[in-house]
Amino acid sequence: MKSNNHKDSSEKLMLDRILTGSGSSNRPGSKLMVLLLLLVSATYVVYTLQLISNSRACHVEPFSAVVRRLNDIVNSSQPLILLQSNQTAVIESHSSAPPPPPPETQLRHMVFGIAASAKLWKQRKEYIKIWYKPDKMRGYVWLEKPVKRLDEDDETNLPPVRISADTSKFPYKNKKGHRSAIRISRIVTETLKLGLEDVRWFVMGDDDTVFVAENLIRVLRKYDHNQMYYIGSLSESHLQNIYFSYGMAYGGGGFAVSYPLAVALSKMQDRCIKRYPALYGSDDRMQACMAELGVPLTKELGFHQYDVYGNLFGLLAAHPVAPLVTLHHLDVVEPIFPNMTRVDALKRLQEPAMLDSAGLMQQSICYDKRRKWTVSVSWGYAVQIFRGVFSAREMEMPSRTFLNWYRRADYTAYAFNTRPVSRHPCQKPFVFYMSTTGVHPITNMTVSRYESHRVAQPECRWKMANPGDLRTVIVYKKPDPHLWDRSPRRNCCRVKSKKNSTLEISVAVCKEGEVVEVM
């Protein structure tokens, strides 16, 4: 009992001390802690109340308005200033005009270098007059020696004549060739050294090369003239390509060299030529130097060497789906139109070339289902009509109206597929050559007229309509200067009507879903 009373009195004394604080040794620290908590709490309450009151008056900008404002900044003509890490960066506005693109390649951007011979100049200059336009083109004829003074007509219609530099210091050891090949191989370099301004391309050709200059421009526009390009094509003879190179542009068919490549060539060509004394011609010397420069041949199917004999009809009537750029070896083959001189025949070809150069020689294939005929149109040149039905695959192969450059070689020695002229007497084609062409005054369509080439036809007992009853074919076609701006595709032709001895055909871009299907 006593002990319990003592314990109770001790607890009561301790409680009194706690309540009065007289027994605490940390009294000042406890007060400071309480005051600090009260201060923090009061500050938090005041800040919260102020934040709530301000948010009631805040205007939140819609997101779409923010986007519009950012676009205005980006598209404004004023520079955008960004501040980051105490540095100022000025970013020019995206609307500042980019530098204008260079103008499209035109005829004035090319220079022709024409390899010619004084011995053949009187005859060959007539070919150059057909295609060369002195008021629109620049070029030079390079001869080995001066020729008789040109008459007034020649002075007006031909490029200026230059005499090639002496090449006697260069070795030449090919027993079958002629050392004039060295002189001709240096024409690009010599033309470059004339210092002409605003040149993008140097174009080489022979004096018997005929250019379709508008199509040449269409081809060169595909390439960047500021880069190194060597553009041309091969020989039609597989054997020629084997003997010389499948990587060589044949000079008679013409080739183009971009300005930067011509500059690089000029710096090393003389040294290069000395390393190849055993080569035959100028073409292979040029290609050897291109190989040392590391520039391959860019092949374009419209450059034609025509290493063949005989009649070019089969090749021209089934021209590749590519713009016609050149014709060559015109002294070797027959005139492209019958019963005319070579020069007059080429002049006739200039008529459709002036109306629609892009479509010149382009083949179209269609069928006359009623009469069971196959029709092939080589626009501006000829129309062929066959009895029976031929597939497009067969019609796009050239018929063998020509002979190989190597006379002992047969058709297997060509660098492309060919077909016989006919496999059956009844399948010999009836040919109609272009006689006139013009533009319809109302429809603005070209209207070309093709007259029957009357030759003996073998007897045929097939019971079907005879194309020999026709005298004239009229072809309607709208000019299409942008034909080669699109992906390559043959045009389609449609047989419209037959009136007496005249057949009418239209040629145009193929319609959606239109196919040349065998009937």
Side-chain angles (χ1 to χ4, degrees), residues 103-153:
E104 271 193 326
T105 297
Q106 304 291 343
L107 289 175
R108 60 185 174 83
H109 293 124
M110 301 186 305
V111 178
F112 290 92
I114 302 170
S117 163
K119 181 180 180 180
L120 299 173
W121 176 237
K122 183 177 180 180
Q123 173 186 343
R124 296 278 181 86
K125 67 183 180 181
E126 300 303 321
Y127 293 127
I128 302 173
K129 290 179 183 179
I130 294 171
W131 62 268
Y132 188 76
K133 301 177 178 64
D135 57 332
K136 298 180 180 179
M137 301 177 183
R138 293 184 291 177
Y140 296 91
V141 173
W142 292 90
L143 295 169
E144 76 277 20
K145 62 181 181 180
V147 293
K148 184 179 178 181
R149 182 178 175 82
L150 302 176
D151 57 31
E152 185 176 348
D153 180 64

Short mmCIF file of all heavy atoms in Angstrom, two decimals, residues 103-153:
data_model
loop_
_atom_site.label_atom_id
_atom_site.label_comp_id
_atom_site.label_asym_id
_atom_site.label_seq_id
_atom_site.Cartn_x
_atom_site.Cartn_y
_atom_site.Cartn_z
N PRO A 103 18.51 27.02 -116.57
CA PRO A 103 17.58 26.83 -117.69
C PRO A 103 17.78 25.46 -118.34
O PRO A 103 18.86 24.87 -118.27
CB PRO A 103 17.95 27.97 -118.65
CG PRO A 103 19.36 28.34 -118.28
CD PRO A 103 19.47 28.10 -116.81
N GLU A 104 16.71 24.96 -118.95
CA GLU A 104 16.79 23.67 -119.65
C GLU A 104 17.85 23.71 -120.74
O GLU A 104 18.11 24.75 -121.34
CB GLU A 104 15.44 23.33 -120.28
CG GLU A 104 14.51 22.57 -119.38
CD GLU A 104 13.34 21.98 -120.15
OE1 GLU A 104 12.90 22.61 -121.12
OE2 GLU A 104 12.86 20.90 -119.78
N THR A 105 18.44 22.57 -120.98
CA THR A 105 19.42 22.46 -122.06
C THR A 105 18.75 22.75 -123.40
O THR A 105 17.69 22.18 -123.73
CB THR A 105 20.05 21.07 -122.08
OG1 THR A 105 20.76 20.86 -120.85
CG2 THR A 105 21.01 20.91 -123.24
N GLN A 106 19.34 23.64 -124.15
CA GLN A 106 18.84 24.02 -125.47
C GLN A 106 19.91 23.75 -126.52
O GLN A 106 21.05 23.38 -126.20
CB GLN A 106 18.45 25.50 -125.48
CG GLN A 106 17.44 25.91 -124.41
CD GLN A 106 16.06 25.34 -124.64
OE1 GLN A 106 15.73 24.88 -125.74
NE2 GLN A 106 15.22 25.36 -123.61
N LEU A 107 19.55 23.96 -127.78
CA LEU A 107 20.51 23.75 -128.86
C LEU A 107 21.76 24.61 -128.68
O LEU A 107 22.87 24.19 -129.01
CB LEU A 107 19.85 24.06 -130.21
CG LEU A 107 18.80 23.07 -130.71
CD1 LEU A 107 18.15 23.57 -131.99
CD2 LEU A 107 19.41 21.69 -130.94
N ARG A 108 21.58 25.80 -128.13
CA ARG A 108 22.72 26.71 -127.98
C ARG A 108 23.74 26.22 -126.95
O ARG A 108 24.85 26.73 -126.88
CB ARG A 108 22.23 28.10 -127.60
CG ARG A 108 21.46 28.14 -126.29
CD ARG A 108 20.88 29.52 -126.01
NE ARG A 108 20.02 29.55 -124.83
CZ ARG A 108 20.47 29.67 -123.60
NH1 ARG A 108 21.77 29.81 -123.38
NH2 ARG A 108 19.63 29.68 -122.58
N HIS A 109 23.34 25.24 -126.13
CA HIS A 109 24.24 24.72 -125.12
C HIS A 109 25.14 23.59 -125.65
O HIS A 109 25.97 23.07 -124.91
CB HIS A 109 23.45 24.19 -123.92
CG HIS A 109 22.73 25.26 -123.16
ND1 HIS A 109 21.38 25.24 -122.92
CD2 HIS A 109 23.19 26.41 -122.59
CE1 HIS A 109 21.03 26.31 -122.23
NE2 HIS A 109 22.12 27.04 -122.03
N MET A 110 24.94 23.22 -126.91
CA MET A 110 25.74 22.15 -127.51
C MET A 110 26.70 22.72 -128.54
O MET A 110 26.42 23.75 -129.16
CB MET A 110 24.84 21.11 -128.21
CG MET A 110 23.83 20.44 -127.31
SD MET A 110 22.96 19.12 -128.21
CE MET A 110 22.32 20.03 -129.61
N VAL A 111 27.81 22.02 -128.72
CA VAL A 111 28.73 22.34 -129.82
C VAL A 111 29.00 21.05 -130.57
O VAL A 111 29.41 20.05 -129.98
CB VAL A 111 30.05 22.95 -129.32
CG1 VAL A 111 30.98 23.22 -130.49
CG2 VAL A 111 29.79 24.23 -128.55
N PHE A 112 28.75 21.07 -131.87
CA PHE A 112 28.99 19.89 -132.70
C PHE A 112 30.42 19.90 -133.22
O PHE A 112 30.93 20.94 -133.68
CB PHE A 112 28.03 19.87 -133.90
CG PHE A 112 26.60 19.59 -133.53
CD1 PHE A 112 25.72 20.63 -133.27
CD2 PHE A 112 26.14 18.29 -133.44
CE1 PHE A 112 24.41 20.38 -132.93
CE2 PHE A 112 24.82 18.02 -133.10
CZ PHE A 112 23.95 19.07 -132.85
N GLY A 113 31.07 18.76 -133.13
CA GLY A 113 32.36 18.56 -133.77
C GLY A 113 32.20 17.51 -134.86
O GLY A 113 31.93 16.35 -134.57
N ILE A 114 32.33 17.92 -136.09
CA ILE A 114 32.03 17.03 -137.22
C ILE A 114 33.34 16.61 -137.88
O ILE A 114 34.10 17.45 -138.39
CB ILE A 114 31.12 17.74 -138.24
CG1 ILE A 114 29.82 18.17 -137.55
CG2 ILE A 114 30.82 16.82 -139.42
CD1 ILE A 114 28.95 19.08 -138.40
N ALA A 115 33.58 15.31 -137.84
CA ALA A 115 34.79 14.76 -138.46
C ALA A 115 34.56 14.61 -139.95
O ALA A 115 33.64 13.92 -140.38
CB ALA A 115 35.13 13.41 -137.83
N ALA A 116 35.41 15.25 -140.75
CA ALA A 116 35.22 15.25 -142.21
C ALA A 116 36.55 15.00 -142.91
O ALA A 116 37.62 15.12 -142.31
CB ALA A 116 34.61 16.56 -142.67
N SER A 117 36.42 14.66 -144.18
CA SER A 117 37.59 14.40 -145.02
C SER A 117 37.57 15.36 -146.21
O SER A 117 36.53 15.56 -146.84
CB SER A 117 37.55 12.96 -145.51
OG SER A 117 38.41 12.77 -146.60
N ALA A 118 38.71 15.96 -146.49
CA ALA A 118 38.79 16.89 -147.62
C ALA A 118 38.45 16.19 -148.93
O ALA A 118 37.83 16.78 -149.83
CB ALA A 118 40.19 17.50 -147.69
N LYS A 119 38.79 14.91 -149.02
CA LYS A 119 38.54 14.16 -150.25
C LYS A 119 37.05 13.99 -150.51
O LYS A 119 36.59 14.03 -151.67
CB LYS A 119 39.22 12.80 -150.14
CG LYS A 119 39.06 11.91 -151.36
CD LYS A 119 39.78 10.59 -151.17
CE LYS A 119 39.60 9.70 -152.39
NZ LYS A 119 40.30 8.39 -152.21
N LEU A 120 36.25 13.81 -149.46
CA LEU A 120 34.82 13.54 -149.62
C LEU A 120 33.95 14.74 -149.27
O LEU A 120 32.72 14.63 -149.26
CB LEU A 120 34.41 12.36 -148.74
CG LEU A 120 35.11 11.02 -149.03
CD1 LEU A 120 34.73 9.99 -147.97
CD2 LEU A 120 34.73 10.52 -150.42
N TRP A 121 34.58 15.87 -148.99
CA TRP A 121 33.85 17.02 -148.49
C TRP A 121 32.77 17.51 -149.47
O TRP A 121 31.64 17.83 -149.06
CB TRP A 121 34.82 18.14 -148.17
CG TRP A 121 34.16 19.42 -147.73
CD1 TRP A 121 34.30 20.65 -148.29
CD2 TRP A 121 33.29 19.60 -146.61
NE1 TRP A 121 33.56 21.59 -147.62
CE2 TRP A 121 32.93 20.96 -146.57
CE3 TRP A 121 32.76 18.75 -145.66
CZ2 TRP A 121 32.07 21.49 -145.62
CZ3 TRP A 121 31.90 19.26 -144.70
CH2 TRP A 121 31.57 20.61 -144.68
N LYS A 122 33.05 17.56 -150.74
CA LYS A 122 32.10 18.08 -151.72
C LYS A 122 30.81 17.29 -151.70
O LYS A 122 29.71 17.84 -151.86
CB LYS A 122 32.73 18.06 -153.12
CG LYS A 122 31.84 18.65 -154.20
CD LYS A 122 32.54 18.67 -155.55
CE LYS A 122 31.64 19.27 -156.62
NZ LYS A 122 32.31 19.29 -157.95
N GLN A 123 30.91 15.98 -151.51
CA GLN A 123 29.75 15.10 -151.50
C GLN A 123 29.06 15.10 -150.13
O GLN A 123 27.83 15.21 -150.03
CB GLN A 123 30.19 13.70 -151.88
CG GLN A 123 29.12 12.63 -151.75
CD GLN A 123 29.69 11.25 -152.02
OE1 GLN A 123 30.78 11.12 -152.59
NE2 GLN A 123 28.97 10.23 -151.60
N ARG A 124 29.85 14.98 -149.07
CA ARG A 124 29.28 14.77 -147.75
C ARG A 124 28.66 16.03 -147.14
O ARG A 124 27.79 15.94 -146.27
CB ARG A 124 30.37 14.24 -146.81
CG ARG A 124 30.94 12.88 -147.20
CD ARG A 124 30.04 11.76 -146.71
NE ARG A 124 30.54 10.44 -147.03
CZ ARG A 124 31.40 9.75 -146.28
NH1 ARG A 124 31.92 10.31 -145.19
NH2 ARG A 124 31.76 8.53 -146.61
N LYS A 125 29.10 17.20 -147.59
CA LYS A 125 28.57 18.42 -146.99
C LYS A 125 27.06 18.56 -147.19
O LYS A 125 26.39 19.25 -146.42
CB LYS A 125 29.29 19.65 -147.55
CG LYS A 125 29.02 19.91 -149.02
CD LYS A 125 29.82 21.11 -149.54
CE LYS A 125 29.53 21.35 -151.01
NZ LYS A 125 30.30 22.49 -151.55
N GLU A 126 26.52 17.90 -148.21
CA GLU A 126 25.08 17.97 -148.47
C GLU A 126 24.28 17.32 -147.34
O GLU A 126 23.15 17.72 -147.07
CB GLU A 126 24.75 17.31 -149.81
CG GLU A 126 25.45 17.95 -151.00
CD GLU A 126 25.14 19.44 -151.13
OE1 GLU A 126 23.97 19.84 -150.89
OE2 GLU A 126 26.06 20.23 -151.45
N TYR A 127 24.85 16.32 -146.71
CA TYR A 127 24.16 15.71 -145.56
C TYR A 127 24.09 16.68 -144.38
O TYR A 127 23.08 16.74 -143.68
CB TYR A 127 24.90 14.44 -145.11
CG TYR A 127 24.84 13.30 -146.10
CD1 TYR A 127 26.00 12.68 -146.53
CD2 TYR A 127 23.63 12.85 -146.62
CE1 TYR A 127 25.96 11.63 -147.44
CE2 TYR A 127 23.58 11.80 -147.52
CZ TYR A 127 24.76 11.19 -147.93
OH TYR A 127 24.70 10.16 -148.83
N ILE A 128 25.15 17.43 -144.17
CA ILE A 128 25.18 18.36 -143.04
C ILE A 128 24.14 19.48 -143.25
O ILE A 128 23.48 19.91 -142.30
CB ILE A 128 26.59 18.95 -142.88
CG1 ILE A 128 27.61 17.84 -142.66
CG2 ILE A 128 26.63 19.94 -141.71
CD1 ILE A 128 29.05 18.30 -142.64
N LYS A 129 23.97 19.92 -144.47
CA LYS A 129 23.01 20.99 -144.75
C LYS A 129 21.58 20.59 -144.38
O LYS A 129 20.75 21.45 -144.06
CB LYS A 129 23.05 21.37 -146.23
CG LYS A 129 24.31 22.08 -146.68
CD LYS A 129 24.23 22.37 -148.18
CE LYS A 129 25.49 23.02 -148.70
NZ LYS A 129 25.41 23.26 -150.16
N ILE A 130 21.31 19.29 -144.42
CA ILE A 130 19.94 18.83 -144.15
C ILE A 130 19.52 19.12 -142.72
O ILE A 130 18.38 19.53 -142.46
CB ILE A 130 19.84 17.31 -144.44
CG1 ILE A 130 20.02 17.05 -145.95
CG2 ILE A 130 18.52 16.74 -143.95
CD1 ILE A 130 20.16 15.58 -146.29
N TRP A 131 20.43 18.93 -141.77
CA TRP A 131 20.03 19.02 -140.36
C TRP A 131 20.61 20.22 -139.61
O TRP A 131 20.06 20.62 -138.58
CB TRP A 131 20.43 17.74 -139.61
CG TRP A 131 21.93 17.49 -139.59
CD1 TRP A 131 22.64 16.76 -140.49
CD2 TRP A 131 22.86 17.97 -138.62
NE1 TRP A 131 23.98 16.76 -140.15
CE2 TRP A 131 24.14 17.49 -139.00
CE3 TRP A 131 22.76 18.75 -137.47
CZ2 TRP A 131 25.29 17.77 -138.28
CZ3 TRP A 131 23.91 19.03 -136.74
CH2 TRP A 131 25.15 18.53 -137.15
N TYR A 132 21.70 20.80 -140.09
CA TYR A 132 22.37 21.86 -139.34
C TYR A 132 21.64 23.19 -139.52
O TYR A 132 21.31 23.59 -140.63
CB TYR A 132 23.82 22.01 -139.80
CG TYR A 132 24.62 22.95 -138.92
CD1 TYR A 132 25.07 22.55 -137.67
CD2 TYR A 132 24.90 24.25 -139.34
CE1 TYR A 132 25.79 23.41 -136.85
CE2 TYR A 132 25.63 25.11 -138.53
CZ TYR A 132 26.06 24.69 -137.29
OH TYR A 132 26.77 25.55 -136.49
N LYS A 133 21.37 23.88 -138.40
CA LYS A 133 20.67 25.17 -138.41
C LYS A 133 21.62 26.24 -137.87
O LYS A 133 21.78 26.38 -136.65
CB LYS A 133 19.41 25.09 -137.54
CG LYS A 133 18.41 24.02 -138.00
CD LYS A 133 17.23 23.94 -137.06
CE LYS A 133 16.21 22.92 -137.53
NZ LYS A 133 16.74 21.54 -137.52
N PRO A 134 22.25 27.00 -138.75
CA PRO A 134 23.28 27.96 -138.31
C PRO A 134 22.77 29.00 -137.33
O PRO A 134 23.53 29.48 -136.49
CB PRO A 134 23.73 28.60 -139.63
CG PRO A 134 23.32 27.66 -140.71
CD PRO A 134 22.08 27.00 -140.21
N ASP A 135 21.49 29.36 -137.41
CA ASP A 135 20.96 30.40 -136.53
C ASP A 135 20.64 29.87 -135.14
O ASP A 135 20.43 30.66 -134.22
CB ASP A 135 19.70 31.02 -137.15
CG ASP A 135 18.63 29.99 -137.44
OD1 ASP A 135 18.98 28.82 -137.69
OD2 ASP A 135 17.44 30.35 -137.43
N LYS A 136 20.63 28.55 -134.95
CA LYS A 136 20.28 27.96 -133.65
C LYS A 136 21.38 27.09 -133.06
O LYS A 136 21.32 26.75 -131.88
CB LYS A 136 19.01 27.13 -133.78
CG LYS A 136 17.77 27.91 -134.19
CD LYS A 136 16.57 27.00 -134.29
CE LYS A 136 15.31 27.77 -134.69
NZ LYS A 136 14.14 26.87 -134.79
N MET A 137 22.36 26.71 -133.88
CA MET A 137 23.36 25.73 -133.44
C MET A 137 24.76 26.31 -133.53
O MET A 137 25.02 27.29 -134.25
CB MET A 137 23.28 24.46 -134.29
CG MET A 137 21.95 23.77 -134.28
SD MET A 137 21.97 22.32 -135.39
CE MET A 137 20.27 21.78 -135.24
N ARG A 138 25.66 25.65 -132.80
CA ARG A 138 27.08 25.96 -132.90
C ARG A 138 27.82 24.67 -133.23
O ARG A 138 27.49 23.59 -132.72
CB ARG A 138 27.61 26.52 -131.58
CG ARG A 138 27.05 27.87 -131.22
CD ARG A 138 27.68 28.42 -129.96
NE ARG A 138 27.30 27.69 -128.76
CZ ARG A 138 27.77 27.95 -127.55
NH1 ARG A 138 28.68 28.92 -127.38
NH2 ARG A 138 27.36 27.27 -126.50
N GLY A 139 28.81 24.79 -134.09
CA GLY A 139 29.58 23.61 -134.45
C GLY A 139 30.71 23.95 -135.40
O GLY A 139 30.78 25.07 -135.94
N TYR A 140 31.58 22.95 -135.62
CA TYR A 140 32.73 23.13 -136.51
C TYR A 140 32.97 21.84 -137.27
O TYR A 140 32.80 20.74 -136.74
CB TYR A 140 33.99 23.50 -135.71
CG TYR A 140 33.87 24.82 -134.99
CD1 TYR A 140 33.37 24.87 -133.70
CD2 TYR A 140 34.23 26.01 -135.62
CE1 TYR A 140 33.24 26.08 -133.03
CE2 TYR A 140 34.10 27.22 -134.96
CZ TYR A 140 33.60 27.26 -133.67
OH TYR A 140 33.46 28.47 -133.03
N VAL A 141 33.33 22.00 -138.52
CA VAL A 141 33.77 20.88 -139.34
C VAL A 141 35.29 20.83 -139.27
O VAL A 141 35.97 21.84 -139.53
CB VAL A 141 33.30 21.04 -140.80
CG1 VAL A 141 33.90 19.94 -141.68
CG2 VAL A 141 31.77 21.02 -140.88
N TRP A 142 35.83 19.67 -138.92
CA TRP A 142 37.28 19.53 -138.78
C TRP A 142 37.84 18.70 -139.93
O TRP A 142 37.48 17.53 -140.11
CB TRP A 142 37.60 18.86 -137.43
CG TRP A 142 37.26 19.75 -136.27
CD1 TRP A 142 36.08 19.82 -135.61
CD2 TRP A 142 38.13 20.70 -135.65
NE1 TRP A 142 36.14 20.76 -134.61
CE2 TRP A 142 37.40 21.32 -134.60
CE3 TRP A 142 39.46 21.09 -135.87
CZ2 TRP A 142 37.95 22.30 -133.78
CZ3 TRP A 142 39.99 22.07 -135.04
CH2 TRP A 142 39.26 22.67 -134.02
N LEU A 143 38.70 19.34 -140.73
CA LEU A 143 39.33 18.70 -141.89
C LEU A 143 40.82 18.54 -141.65
O LEU A 143 41.41 19.22 -140.80
CB LEU A 143 39.10 19.54 -143.14
CG LEU A 143 37.64 19.68 -143.62
CD1 LEU A 143 37.56 20.75 -144.70
CD2 LEU A 143 37.13 18.35 -144.15
N GLU A 144 41.43 17.67 -142.45
CA GLU A 144 42.87 17.46 -142.32
C GLU A 144 43.68 18.49 -143.11
O GLU A 144 44.87 18.70 -142.83
CB GLU A 144 43.24 16.04 -142.76
CG GLU A 144 43.25 15.80 -144.26
CD GLU A 144 41.87 15.50 -144.82
OE1 GLU A 144 40.85 15.84 -144.17
OE2 GLU A 144 41.79 14.93 -145.93
N LYS A 145 43.01 19.15 -144.08
CA LYS A 145 43.69 20.18 -144.87
C LYS A 145 42.64 21.11 -145.47
O LYS A 145 41.45 20.75 -145.55
CB LYS A 145 44.53 19.55 -145.98
CG LYS A 145 43.72 18.75 -146.99
CD LYS A 145 44.63 18.13 -148.05
CE LYS A 145 43.82 17.35 -149.08
NZ LYS A 145 44.69 16.73 -150.11
N PRO A 146 43.04 22.29 -145.90
CA PRO A 146 42.07 23.24 -146.46
C PRO A 146 41.43 22.69 -147.74
O PRO A 146 42.02 21.89 -148.46
CB PRO A 146 42.91 24.49 -146.75
CG PRO A 146 44.10 24.36 -145.85
CD PRO A 146 44.37 22.89 -145.75
N VAL A 147 40.20 23.13 -148.00
CA VAL A 147 39.49 22.74 -149.22
C VAL A 147 39.18 24.00 -150.02
O VAL A 147 39.37 25.13 -149.55
CB VAL A 147 38.19 21.99 -148.89
CG1 VAL A 147 38.49 20.65 -148.26
CG2 VAL A 147 37.29 22.83 -147.98
N LYS A 148 38.68 23.77 -151.21
CA LYS A 148 38.33 24.88 -152.10
C LYS A 148 37.32 25.79 -151.40
O LYS A 148 36.44 25.33 -150.69
CB LYS A 148 37.75 24.34 -153.40
CG LYS A 148 37.44 25.40 -154.43
CD LYS A 148 36.88 24.76 -155.70
CE LYS A 148 36.52 25.83 -156.73
NZ LYS A 148 35.95 25.21 -157.96
N ARG A 149 37.45 27.06 -151.63
CA ARG A 149 36.58 28.05 -150.98
C ARG A 149 35.11 27.70 -151.18
O ARG A 149 34.68 27.36 -152.27
CB ARG A 149 36.87 29.45 -151.53
CG ARG A 149 36.06 30.54 -150.88
CD ARG A 149 36.44 31.90 -151.44
NE ARG A 149 35.59 32.95 -150.91
CZ ARG A 149 35.76 33.52 -149.74
NH1 ARG A 149 36.78 33.17 -148.98
NH2 ARG A 149 34.95 34.48 -149.32
N LEU A 150 34.35 27.80 -150.10
CA LEU A 150 32.93 27.47 -150.16
C LEU A 150 32.17 28.56 -150.90
O LEU A 150 32.52 29.74 -150.86
CB LEU A 150 32.37 27.34 -148.74
CG LEU A 150 33.03 26.30 -147.83
CD1 LEU A 150 32.42 26.37 -146.43
CD2 LEU A 150 32.86 24.92 -148.41
N ASP A 151 31.09 28.13 -151.61
CA ASP A 151 30.26 29.14 -152.27
C ASP A 151 29.34 29.79 -151.24
O ASP A 151 29.33 29.45 -150.05
CB ASP A 151 29.46 28.52 -153.42
CG ASP A 151 28.59 27.35 -152.96
OD1 ASP A 151 28.12 27.37 -151.81
OD2 ASP A 151 28.38 26.41 -153.76
N GLU A 152 28.53 30.73 -151.69
CA GLU A 152 27.71 31.52 -150.77
C GLU A 152 26.71 30.65 -150.01
O GLU A 152 26.47 30.83 -148.82
CB GLU A 152 26.97 32.62 -151.55
CG GLU A 152 26.18 33.56 -150.65
CD GLU A 152 25.55 34.70 -151.44
OE1 GLU A 152 25.91 34.88 -152.62
OE2 GLU A 152 24.69 35.39 -150.86
N ASP A 153 26.14 29.66 -150.70
CA ASP A 153 25.18 28.76 -150.07
C ASP A 153 25.84 27.94 -148.96
O ASP A 153 25.27 27.75 -147.87
CB ASP A 153 24.57 27.84 -151.12
CG ASP A 153 23.56 26.89 -150.51
OD1 ASP A 153 22.53 27.35 -149.99
OD2 ASP A 153 23.81 25.66 -150.54
#
